[in-house]
Amino acid sequence: MKNKGSASERSPLLKKSDSVGSDLEVEDGPVKLQRTVGVISAALVVFGNCVGAGIFISPKGVFEQTGSAGAGMIVFAMAGVIATLCNLAYAELGLLMPSSGGEFVYIRKAYGNLPAFLFSFCNSFVIKPASMIVVILTFSEYLATLIWGEIPTISMSKVVALCTVLFIIGVNMINSGLVIKFCSFSSVIKMSMVVFLLVCGVTTTLKGHGHLENFQRNTTFIGSATSPTQYGLAFYFAAFSYQSWNSLNYITEELKNPTRTLPIGGFLGVLGTSICYVLCNVSYLLMFSTTDLIATNTIAMDCGMVAFGKIAEIVMCVGLLFSCLGSASGGLLCVSRNIQSTAQEGVFPRWMGIVNPTLKTPIPALMVLCTTMSLYLAVDVNVLIPRTLR
């Protein structure tokens, strides 16, 4: 019988240098990124990047458009199903083309350099940095409020935000493994916040102050929107909450045994995100009406305050700070790999793709990101990203 050949010979998408061994380095450059991310760490990276500050500040975008508790919960759950299916599709792409860089790698293979450049430029210098700056500004506002006891001025928030950018960029430069560990730690903090929110909701309900009408068959869909446009916007807001479901495709070259880590870690991360969002919203709806939920911008802190008083509010504030910092750190990790991969293929200037031989981190890419994000602090990024998307 004729030998069918190896996987790389059978698939036109694979080169011999692209084979996916358990710990095979796939980078063509002289200095290679280290494979340090296992299944659990990968799942926590996806979870940590998806679950930022928004769900703990205000999920009002979805409920404002759907108009009812039941419809809003269904939209969040369906967005989670869609994100999970997308993640599984990307896992297959990542195994066919196991290079860091995410969509850049796939678009370049399918359509050539120009579309890949346009995507990578917009993603690396507009979309992701602006999103991360919003998260970092949220972090700076809550940190300054916690320390000084009052809402900071815009100038003070931006100074704290700049210091935060420099700090997380520096950590990313020195040790990417430390960033992974911090993202994992912040993910555990977020899970603890979800559990605490559930405790707050159950405690409030047992005291007789719960809003059980949000879950009763006859009342949960009262006020639901009837316009397809409103549901389209609701799905848009919900989908934005899952926007980092593809995080592992940006760090494929740093995954241990990617044939196992990429699909399993990604699936567990998105599944955990979906469960987190549903449980958070259950807690909020146990304690507040949809009108109150839409009106507040500090929903998680309000839950702590209503259930257990000022101490619980401070605890939720500290948890929110870790959530913001972990999300921004993980986002920087992924975007810097996008820039590095694009530069190594010659689409961006090649010096952006250099990996430091000692630290094994893409320092030039991180320096470019530092400059870009610092420039964004000079403008009002809320013009680019509405507060309801945070």
PDB file of all heavy atoms in Angstrom, residues 128-140:
ATOM      1  N   LYS A 128      -7.073  47.185  20.161  1.00  0.00           N
ATOM      2  CA  LYS A 128      -6.624  46.618  21.435  1.00  0.00           C
ATOM      3  C   LYS A 128      -6.031  47.659  22.385  1.00  0.00           C
ATOM      4  O   LYS A 128      -6.386  47.680  23.576  1.00  0.00           O
ATOM      5  CB  LYS A 128      -5.617  45.495  21.185  1.00  0.00           C
ATOM      6  CG  LYS A 128      -6.193  44.271  20.478  1.00  0.00           C
ATOM      7  CD  LYS A 128      -7.249  43.586  21.331  1.00  0.00           C
ATOM      8  CE  LYS A 128      -7.737  42.301  20.675  1.00  0.00           C
ATOM      9  NZ  LYS A 128      -8.792  41.624  21.455  1.00  0.00           N
ATOM     10  N   PRO A 129      -5.127  48.535  21.912  1.00  0.00           N
ATOM     11  CA  PRO A 129      -4.603  49.548  22.845  1.00  0.00           C
ATOM     12  C   PRO A 129      -5.689  50.456  23.420  1.00  0.00           C
ATOM     13  O   PRO A 129      -5.664  50.780  24.615  1.00  0.00           O
ATOM     14  CB  PRO A 129      -3.613  50.345  21.977  1.00  0.00           C
ATOM     15  CG  PRO A 129      -3.196  49.392  20.918  1.00  0.00           C
ATOM     16  CD  PRO A 129      -4.423  48.580  20.618  1.00  0.00           C
ATOM     17  N   ALA A 130      -6.662  50.866  22.584  1.00  0.00           N
ATOM     18  CA  ALA A 130      -7.734  51.720  23.086  1.00  0.00           C
ATOM     19  C   ALA A 130      -8.563  50.986  24.132  1.00  0.00           C
ATOM     20  O   ALA A 130      -8.933  51.562  25.168  1.00  0.00           O
ATOM     21  CB  ALA A 130      -8.623  52.184  21.931  1.00  0.00           C
ATOM     22  N   SER A 131      -8.860  49.708  23.881  1.00  0.00           N
ATOM     23  CA  SER A 131      -9.627  48.916  24.852  1.00  0.00           C
ATOM     24  C   SER A 131      -8.870  48.781  26.162  1.00  0.00           C
ATOM     25  O   SER A 131      -9.447  48.905  27.249  1.00  0.00           O
ATOM     26  CB  SER A 131      -9.931  47.529  24.276  1.00  0.00           C
ATOM     27  OG  SER A 131     -10.712  47.627  23.108  1.00  0.00           O
ATOM     28  N   MET A 132      -7.554  48.518  26.069  1.00  0.00           N
ATOM     29  CA  MET A 132      -6.757  48.353  27.286  1.00  0.00           C
ATOM     30  C   MET A 132      -6.633  49.654  28.063  1.00  0.00           C
ATOM     31  O   MET A 132      -6.630  49.651  29.306  1.00  0.00           O
ATOM     32  CB  MET A 132      -5.373  47.798  26.933  1.00  0.00           C
ATOM     33  CG  MET A 132      -5.390  46.332  26.525  1.00  0.00           C
ATOM     34  SD  MET A 132      -3.746  45.628  26.272  1.00  0.00           S
ATOM     35  CE  MET A 132      -3.254  46.443  24.759  1.00  0.00           C
ATOM     36  N   ILE A 133      -6.561  50.775  27.344  1.00  0.00           N
ATOM     37  CA  ILE A 133      -6.478  52.066  28.029  1.00  0.00           C
ATOM     38  C   ILE A 133      -7.751  52.350  28.817  1.00  0.00           C
ATOM     39  O   ILE A 133      -7.715  52.892  29.930  1.00  0.00           O
ATOM     40  CB  ILE A 133      -6.184  53.195  27.014  1.00  0.00           C
ATOM     41  CG1 ILE A 133      -4.700  53.204  26.680  1.00  0.00           C
ATOM     42  CG2 ILE A 133      -6.593  54.544  27.561  1.00  0.00           C
ATOM     43  CD1 ILE A 133      -3.795  53.539  27.863  1.00  0.00           C
ATOM     44  N   VAL A 134      -8.909  51.972  28.262  1.00  0.00           N
ATOM     45  CA  VAL A 134     -10.165  52.152  29.000  1.00  0.00           C
ATOM     46  C   VAL A 134     -10.136  51.343  30.300  1.00  0.00           C
ATOM     47  O   VAL A 134     -10.526  51.836  31.365  1.00  0.00           O
ATOM     48  CB  VAL A 134     -11.366  51.735  28.118  1.00  0.00           C
ATOM     49  CG1 VAL A 134     -12.645  51.683  28.952  1.00  0.00           C
ATOM     50  CG2 VAL A 134     -11.547  52.719  26.976  1.00  0.00           C
ATOM     51  N   VAL A 135      -9.660  50.103  30.220  1.00  0.00           N
ATOM     52  CA  VAL A 135      -9.562  49.261  31.418  1.00  0.00           C
ATOM     53  C   VAL A 135      -8.583  49.862  32.422  1.00  0.00           C
ATOM     54  O   VAL A 135      -8.849  49.910  33.635  1.00  0.00           O
ATOM     55  CB  VAL A 135      -9.137  47.826  31.038  1.00  0.00           C
ATOM     56  CG1 VAL A 135      -8.880  46.987  32.292  1.00  0.00           C
ATOM     57  CG2 VAL A 135     -10.207  47.160  30.182  1.00  0.00           C
ATOM     58  N   ILE A 136      -7.446  50.347  31.927  1.00  0.00           N
ATOM     59  CA  ILE A 136      -6.423  50.928  32.817  1.00  0.00           C
ATOM     60  C   ILE A 136      -6.925  52.223  33.447  1.00  0.00           C
ATOM     61  O   ILE A 136      -6.652  52.511  34.628  1.00  0.00           O
ATOM     62  CB  ILE A 136      -5.116  51.147  32.039  1.00  0.00           C
ATOM     63  CG1 ILE A 136      -4.485  49.790  31.700  1.00  0.00           C
ATOM     64  CG2 ILE A 136      -4.127  51.984  32.858  1.00  0.00           C
ATOM     65  CD1 ILE A 136      -3.297  49.876  30.779  1.00  0.00           C
ATOM     66  N   LEU A 137      -7.666  53.041  32.688  1.00  0.00           N
ATOM     67  CA  LEU A 137      -8.246  54.260  33.269  1.00  0.00           C
ATOM     68  C   LEU A 137      -9.276  53.918  34.343  1.00  0.00           C
ATOM     69  O   LEU A 137      -9.362  54.601  35.372  1.00  0.00           O
ATOM     70  CB  LEU A 137      -8.892  55.111  32.170  1.00  0.00           C
ATOM     71  CG  LEU A 137      -7.947  55.974  31.334  1.00  0.00           C
ATOM     72  CD1 LEU A 137      -8.683  56.584  30.165  1.00  0.00           C
ATOM     73  CD2 LEU A 137      -7.325  57.070  32.205  1.00  0.00           C
ATOM     74  N   THR A 138     -10.044  52.852  34.114  1.00  0.00           N
ATOM     75  CA  THR A 138     -10.980  52.392  35.146  1.00  0.00           C
ATOM     76  C   THR A 138     -10.215  51.982  36.400  1.00  0.00           C
ATOM     77  O   THR A 138     -10.600  52.329  37.526  1.00  0.00           O
ATOM     78  CB  THR A 138     -11.803  51.197  34.625  1.00  0.00           C
ATOM     79  OG1 THR A 138     -12.510  51.599  33.445  1.00  0.00           O
ATOM     80  CG2 THR A 138     -12.801  50.724  35.669  1.00  0.00           C
ATOM     81  N   PHE A 139      -9.117  51.257  36.197  1.00  0.00           N
ATOM     82  CA  PHE A 139      -8.260  50.858  37.323  1.00  0.00           C
ATOM     83  C   PHE A 139      -7.752  52.085  38.070  1.00  0.00           C
ATOM     84  O   PHE A 139      -7.797  52.137  39.311  1.00  0.00           O
ATOM     85  CB  PHE A 139      -7.081  50.038  36.793  1.00  0.00           C
ATOM     86  CG  PHE A 139      -5.995  49.783  37.803  1.00  0.00           C
ATOM     87  CD1 PHE A 139      -6.072  48.710  38.679  1.00  0.00           C
ATOM     88  CD2 PHE A 139      -4.882  50.618  37.880  1.00  0.00           C
ATOM     89  CE1 PHE A 139      -5.079  48.474  39.613  1.00  0.00           C
ATOM     90  CE2 PHE A 139      -3.878  50.397  38.807  1.00  0.00           C
ATOM     91  CZ  PHE A 139      -3.978  49.317  39.677  1.00  0.00           C
ATOM     92  N   SER A 140      -7.269  53.087  37.342  1.00  0.00           N
ATOM     93  CA  SER A 140      -6.698  54.269  37.992  1.00  0.00           C
ATOM     94  C   SER A 140      -7.755  55.047  38.772  1.00  0.00           C
ATOM     95  O   SER A 140      -7.486  55.555  39.872  1.00  0.00           O
ATOM     96  CB  SER A 140      -6.030  55.171  36.952  1.00  0.00           C
ATOM     97  OG  SER A 140      -6.984  55.719  36.057  1.00  0.00           O
TER      98      SER A 140
END
